[in-house]
Amino acid sequence: GDIKIDRINFRSRVITEIKKSKKSLDEGKYQLIYYLYKLKYLTGIEFEGEISIPKENYKETIILDKQLESNLKEILKEIKCIINLEKPPAPESKPYCKGCMYYELCWS
């Protein structure tokens, strides 16, 4: 489908999203929350999430609760509104843009 899970442990029901640094931690958390949401509604199985940044010896557990699910649904609504625009919004330069894998998409 539209997700690519870095690591999954079916026995313990934990999926892990691996990042290179804490720079993209918030984005990584919502990426993981989206994966947890998709798995819950596609399979009916609830997983726990883990953000891992090996170079910084960092791990954080993410549980998909009602509040996170509600936040995610709002983000998905915003994304759908943007997709349905006649023209895409003008790109905004942010400090993290140059390191983003979608840089060329926004700035081409």
Side-chain angles (χ1 to χ4, degrees):
D2 61 343
I3 63 175
K4 185 175 183 282
I5 295 170
D6 292 337
R7 187 182 306 147
I8 188 164
N9 184 322
F10 288 101
R11 186 170 299 177
S12 63
R13 292 190 179 170
V14 174
I15 63 172
T16 303
E17 181 61 27
I18 301 168
K19 295 296 177 193
K20 291 182 181 179
S21 75
K22 285 186 181 177
K23 282 184 182 179
S24 60
L25 188 58
D26 288 337
E27 294 85 355
K29 284 180 184 180
Y30 271 95
Q31 181 180 359
L32 181 57
I33 291 164
Y34 179 72
Y35 294 169
L36 294 170
Y37 175 80
K38 289 288 281 196
L39 286 171
K40 178 179 175 180
Y41 288 97
L42 289 175
T43 68
I45 301 169
E46 292 190 36
F47 283 79
E48 197 172 277
E50 178 182 87
I51 293 276
S52 176
I53 306 171
K55 288 183 181 179
E56 299 179 22
N57 199 27
Y58 178 86
K59 285 186 180 182
E60 181 178 346
T61 300
I62 305 288
I63 307 290
L64 182 66
D65 60 17
K66 290 181 192 255
Q67 183 62 51
L68 285 177
E69 193 169 325
S70 176
N71 293 350
L72 178 66
K73 286 179 180 179
E74 286 301 313
I75 291 169
L76 293 174
K77 281 182 193 175
E78 290 175 27
I79 290 170
K80 285 181 183 176
C81 288
I82 292 169
I83 289 170
N84 291 323
L85 290 173
E86 194 170 305
K87 289 180 7 183
E92 293 179 44
S93 183
K94 307 266 179 160
Y96 51 80
C97 286
K98 292 214 188 249
C100 177
M101 63 188 282
Y102 299 106
Y103 181 83
E104 289 183 25
L105 179 67
C106 293
W107 299 102
S108 60

